[in-house]
Amino acid sequence: MTTTPPPPQAFQKAQPGEVDGGSAPGLTKPKERKLSRAEKRAIAVKGKISSPWASGIALLIAVLWTVPTFGLLVTSFRPAPDIRRTGWWTAFGNPDFTLENYSEVLFGGASFANYVVNTIVITIPAVLIPISLALLAAYAFAWIDFRGRDVLFVAVFALQIVPIQITLIPLLSQYVQWGLAGSYWVVWLSHTIFALPLAVFLLHNFMKDIPPSLVEAARVDGAGHVKIFFQVLLPLLVPAIAAFAIFQFLWVWNDLLVALVFSGGTADVAPLTVRLGELAGQRGETWHLLSSGAFVTIIVPLIVFLALQRYFVRGLLAGSVKG
Amino acid sequence: MDFISNIGAWLEYLTRDLRTWLTDATTPGHKLALMVVAVLLFVVVMGAILFAVDKPKRIPNWVVTAGFLGPVLLFLTFGLVYPGVRTVYASFFNRNGQEFIGIDNYVRAFTQPEFQIVLRNTALWVILVPLLSTLFGLVYAVLVDRTRFERFAKTLMFLPMSISLVGASVIWRFMYEYRALLRDAEGNPTRQQTGLLNQILVWFGQEPQQFLLNSPWNTFFLIVVMVWIQSGFAMTILSAAIKAIPDDIVEAARLDGLTGMKMFRYITVPSIRPALVVVLTTIAMATLKVFDIVRTMTGGNFNTSVVANEFYSQSFRQGNAGLGAALATILFVLVIPLVVYNVRQMRLSEEIR
């Protein structure tokens, strides 16, 4: 995941009844009238760019987007000599598939299994911690009155634009001073820091949408901020939390830069992406390892993504769905 | 006294042990245990802070605020604001940060031929990736809209978004795989291509190409990878925007006889213009910071480097801290206009509301 979700307000115009740009030349507004279902369907069919050409282009794009991954997937199951000798598309003529590559890349010299553990150990806290912190901050920005609130919020919002590159060297020298460089602690800490501005911003937007009357009612009942946060808001925010959790999960699992700089690149801390990058940088044809290694790296996010696609899309569109 | 010094030694021993345990995890069990400890530690600390401020009315407001907001502000100041300022400062110093050299690093970054290639490549990336991704995403979104296979078709284009840039680079390097064409006496190729693209070239009677080696075209083949990833994002956002176009506008256009391409040109595109702007700027920002693809596919060689990659190699390979800092600062400055434009568009669309 390299694309941060766009800020929710940006889609507000894309809501029903609020589109302004639709005034094509020579168009007149039709008189309001109800259409029967059959008429609607007829319109829907007629107006579409539905020609053999259109279907052909759609199919072509779909193939273009699928074939590269598919080719590598097929390759990862082929015996190493075959991979060197022939293209993967010939594998269907005389099928000869094996799991050898996977067992070699996981438990052989490349020891990907070890790096799978590292990636998991890095990812779980690097998702949980920033979300918890951001939830608290978002709550403060949304529901606690204090001086300078707006200024602070804009400042946090603005920090989203800081490219992480600009922070890496000073952070690294600080970590070296602490004697913590190349440990999990600084990887967790860095991922947390880099996630916070976007997390605070997104969760704040979701929090703002909760009816104030709910919070007021709880306050009248004598509940403090902590109680309101845990008992009133948190349960309502589960979908928002899930959406952001998926972003952060994909971001951390797929990250290369932070891991390269802070994990020290050792087998003790470095995640899968670093190992795969190393393997890709080596000379010689190791495609049997690269292909299987790539899929070891890809498979978990792929499953998470497919299983939680709805949440992901909802997060991406956050704001366009809501009022 | 003996007893006390003994305790001191013990404590020292214990803390050293603890420190080692906390920083040098080598076995999987140890690593997982460390992870659990870290999460628990976090929960305990945050719990303590929240517990301390959870006394309604008896505690001043600012203490509560600090409890909720403090950790985040602390982290951001420590991890983003302070290092950012330090880096900008460091960009005016020489390679080991000892000597003030004014804007020499910037002059170098903008005038030396090797860096001009880097800047040219970055410009190509930032212009082409958003445009192409948006184009593919938009066309695809329109084509599969309300078809029977819509969900499945969208998932196909969407999937690369979950793949790491390193993984995607490996996938595409395999597509670009090149092998010199050897021919036997009759001129038939004796060696098969293993990369699909070169095989296609061979099928059409062309010579196979070293896609990643031949400058300047190799940059375009790297850009393909990013387009491949970002199109799914564009498609998702734009598809939602298309679905949100009010039916009456579409119907009106149809009654006026607009179909196919005209409908696309005069109704669809103007209606989703705000979404288009957001998609373009968001992808442009993501593209500026990308270095994984260049690093994995060419290592920045063969004139393919971009600012984000050059920053990495200057800072961590060449040990030129000053120049690395300058490149990071350039990156930061380049992002600003995109953000400003994005925010202004957001403001505008809010005003229209």
Side-chain angles (χ1 to χ4, degrees):
Chain A
M1 255 304 287
T2 53
T3 312
T4 50
Q9 293 96 323
F11 300 107
Q12 285 169 342
K13 268 224 304 184
Q15 286 170 12
E18 290 179 355
V19 174
D20 63 309
S23 52
L27 282 188
T28 48
K29 276 243 165 196
K31 290 189 185 97
E32 295 278 328
R33 75 181 178 100
K34 284 256 191 253
L35 292 165
S36 76
R37 188 175 285 179
E39 272 177 307
K40 272 188 180 158
R41 188 175 302 157
I43 288 171
V45 171
K46 220 194 303 174
K48 285 201 2 197
I49 315 175
S50 52
S51 67
W53 275 102
S55 322
I57 295 170
L59 191 68
L60 183 73
I61 295 179
V63 168
L64 272 177
W65 254 255
T66 323
V67 162
T69 319
F70 182 69
L72 201 72
L73 181 64
V74 172
T75 303
S76 70
F77 290 109
R78 299 180 72 207
D82 286 12
I83 299 176
R84 274 194 288 276
R85 224 178 39 241
T86 56
W88 57 267
W89 50 92
T90 60
F92 303 105
N94 45 349
D96 178 13
F97 295 115
T98 169
L99 286 173
E100 188 59 35
N101 301 336
Y102 281 93
S103 71
E104 193 186 335
V105 83
L106 279 172
F107 308 109
S111 66
F112 266 54
N114 194 16
Y115 291 85
V116 173
V117 176
N118 295 353
T119 298
I120 294 172
V121 170
I122 287 176
T123 306
I124 294 176
V127 171
L128 291 180
I129 295 175
I131 290 184
S132 319
L133 288 176
L135 273 170
L136 292 175
Y139 175 84
F141 281 128
W143 299 111
I144 303 181
D145 275 320
F146 60 94
R147 263 210 297 168
R149 182 169 78 168
D150 292 343
V151 176
L152 263 184
F153 183 68
V154 169
V156 172
F157 170 77
L159 282 179
Q160 279 184 77
I161 71 169
V162 175
I164 63 173
Q165 276 89 350
I166 211 169
T167 68
L168 294 181
I169 295 179
L171 271 182
L172 184 62
S173 51
Q174 183 63 63
Y175 294 157
V176 171
Q177 254 179 44
W178 288 344
L180 285 174
S183 74
Y184 284 109
W185 298 93
V186 294
V187 180
W188 291 327
L189 178 61
S190 311
H191 275 305
T192 301
I193 291 168
F194 299 144
L196 281 176
L198 180 73
V200 172
F201 177 67
L202 276 186
L203 293 173
H204 171 263
N205 282 338
F206 279 108
M207 268 212 204
K208 263 294 188 203
D209 281 347
I210 290 170
S213 55
L214 278 178
V215 180
E216 285 307 321
R219 223 172 258 168
V220 170
D221 287 349
H225 284 300
V226 178
K227 205 169 175 195
I228 294 175
F229 174 75
F230 280 106
Q231 293 188 348
V232 180
L233 291 175
L234 217 48
L236 294 172
L237 282 170
V238 170
I241 295 171
F244 185 77
I246 298 170
F247 282 130
Q248 180 66 2
F249 168 81
L250 288 176
W251 208 91
V252 175
W253 189 285
N254 290 336
D255 156 79
L256 177 68
L257 184 57
V258 174
L260 267 180
V261 176
F262 296 129
S263 73
T266 64
D268 288 340
V269 185
L272 281 167
T273 44
V274 170
R275 185 78 188 104
L276 186 63
E278 262 173 31
L279 206 59
Q282 283 166 8
R283 292 237 152 250
E285 296 186 35
T286 51
W287 279 111
H288 66 294
L289 293 180
L290 267 178
S291 57
S292 48
F295 276 93
V296 170
T297 314
I298 290 170
I299 189 70
V300 174
L302 209 62
I303 292 170
V304 168
F305 191 74
L306 283 176
L308 303 173
Q309 200 181 344
R310 280 186 180 194
Y311 275 117
F312 185 81
V313 174
R314 205 176 298 164
L316 219 53
L317 299 174
S320 71
V321 194
K322 304 174 290 121
Chain B
M1 284 313 278
D2 222 34
F3 178 69
I4 290 172
S5 71
N6 258 344
I7 288 185
W10 257 99
L11 274 178
E12 199 178 308
Y13 185 70
L14 267 181
T15 47
R16 201 186 320 137
D17 252 20
L18 184 65
R19 199 183 158 84
T20 318
W21 192 88
L22 287 175
T23 51
D24 296 334
T26 46
T27 62
H30 188 173
K31 289 173 188 170
L32 291 169
L34 183 63
M35 179 184 84
V36 173
V37 167
V39 172
L40 285 180
L41 196 68
F42 171 74
V43 170
V44 168
V45 171
M46 288 316 293
I49 293 177
L50 288 182
F51 183 76
V53 299
D54 185 29
K55 303 276 191 308
K57 305 213 168 105
R58 250 165 293 155
I59 286 203
N61 197 24
W62 68 266
V63 177
V64 183
T65 311
F68 275 86
L69 207 53
V72 165
L73 294 183
L74 194 74
F75 276 41
L76 289 179
T77 315
F78 163 78
L80 287 178
V81 178
Y82 174 67
V85 173
R86 280 261 317 252
T87 299
V88 174
Y89 181 71
S91 71
F92 298 108
F93 285 79
N94 71 344
R95 59 186 306 124
N96 57 16
Q98 300 297 324
E99 196 187 323
F100 181 82
I101 54 170
I103 59 164
D104 276 11
N105 286 320
Y106 293 94
V107 172
R108 206 176 146 199
F110 280 105
T111 54
Q112 277 197 3
E114 54 188 291
F115 290 112
Q116 282 183 335
I117 290 177
V118 170
L119 291 175
R120 182 204 68 189
N121 289 343
T122 308
L124 280 176
W125 278 77
V126 174
I127 294 168
L128 286 178
V129 172
L131 285 180
L132 291 175
S133 309
T134 309
L135 181 72
F136 277 113
L138 178 60
V139 168
Y140 195 67
V142 171
L143 290 179
V144 302
D145 192 39
R146 286 177 230 186
T147 58
R148 252 186 307 161
F149 315 103
E150 182 172 353
R151 266 199 66 180
F152 177 69
K154 279 175 157 180
T155 305
L156 286 185
M157 186 181 260
F158 207 35
L159 270 187
M161 280 190 74
S162 68
I163 297 175
S164 61
L165 293 175
V166 185
S169 305
V170 171
I171 288 175
W172 277 92
R173 245 177 68 174
F174 194 57
M175 287 289 282
Y176 294 145
E177 186 74 348
Y178 162 84
R179 315 181 99 200
L181 199 60
L182 304 177
R183 293 177 193 280
D184 59 15
E186 280 118 54
N188 295 317
T190 56
R191 201 168 165 206
Q192 294 201 37
Q193 294 294 324
T194 52
L196 182 58
L197 288 179
N198 273 321
Q199 179 64 60
I200 291 174
L201 284 179
V202 170
W203 275 332
F204 281 99
Q206 306 291 315
E207 289 289 312
Q209 297 294 318
Q210 305 224 32
F211 289 107
L212 296 177
L213 261 53
N214 299 332
S215 175
W217 297 106
N218 48 9
T219 290
F220 292 93
F221 292 110
L222 296 191
I223 286 175
V224 165
V225 183
M226 191 64 176
V227 172
W228 184 70
I229 291 171
Q230 294 292 349
S231 294
F233 167 74
M235 187 265 303
T236 311
I237 305 284
L238 297 175
S239 173
I242 289 171
K243 287 191 189 308
I245 299 176
D247 285 340
D248 51 352
I249 288 183
V250 181
E251 280 160 24
R254 277 186 189 127
L255 292 176
D256 281 5
L258 253 68
T259 49
M261 282 312 290
K262 279 196 175 151
M263 179 72 94
F264 180 73
R265 168 76 185 76
Y266 292 113
I267 302 297
T268 311
V269 173
S271 305
I272 61 171
R273 199 180 154 274
L276 277 175
V277 170
V278 170
V279 167
L280 284 170
T281 48
T282 310
I283 295 179
M285 284 187 270
T287 306
L288 258 183
K289 300 178 204 167
V290 152
F291 101 118
D292 316 31
I293 295 177
V294 174
R295 183 177 187 273
T296 311
M297 293 192 78
T298 62
N301 299 314
F302 321 118
N303 293 336
T304 54
S305 195
V306 292
V307 172
N309 182 70
E310 203 55 34
F311 154 79
Y312 183 84
S313 50
Q314 288 299 336
S315 305
F316 298 103
R317 293 257 165 97
Q318 322 276 355
N320 194 338
L323 189 56
L327 287 165
T329 310
I330 291 174
L331 206 61
F332 180 48
V333 173
L334 288 177
V335 179
I336 292 176
L338 289 168
V339 176
V340 170
Y341 184 67
N342 201 339
V343 170
R344 266 186 44 194
Q345 284 295 319
M346 268 159 49
R347 285 261 179 77
L348 272 180
S349 61
E350 262 168 59
E351 271 167 27
I352 291 168
R353 277 155 65 81

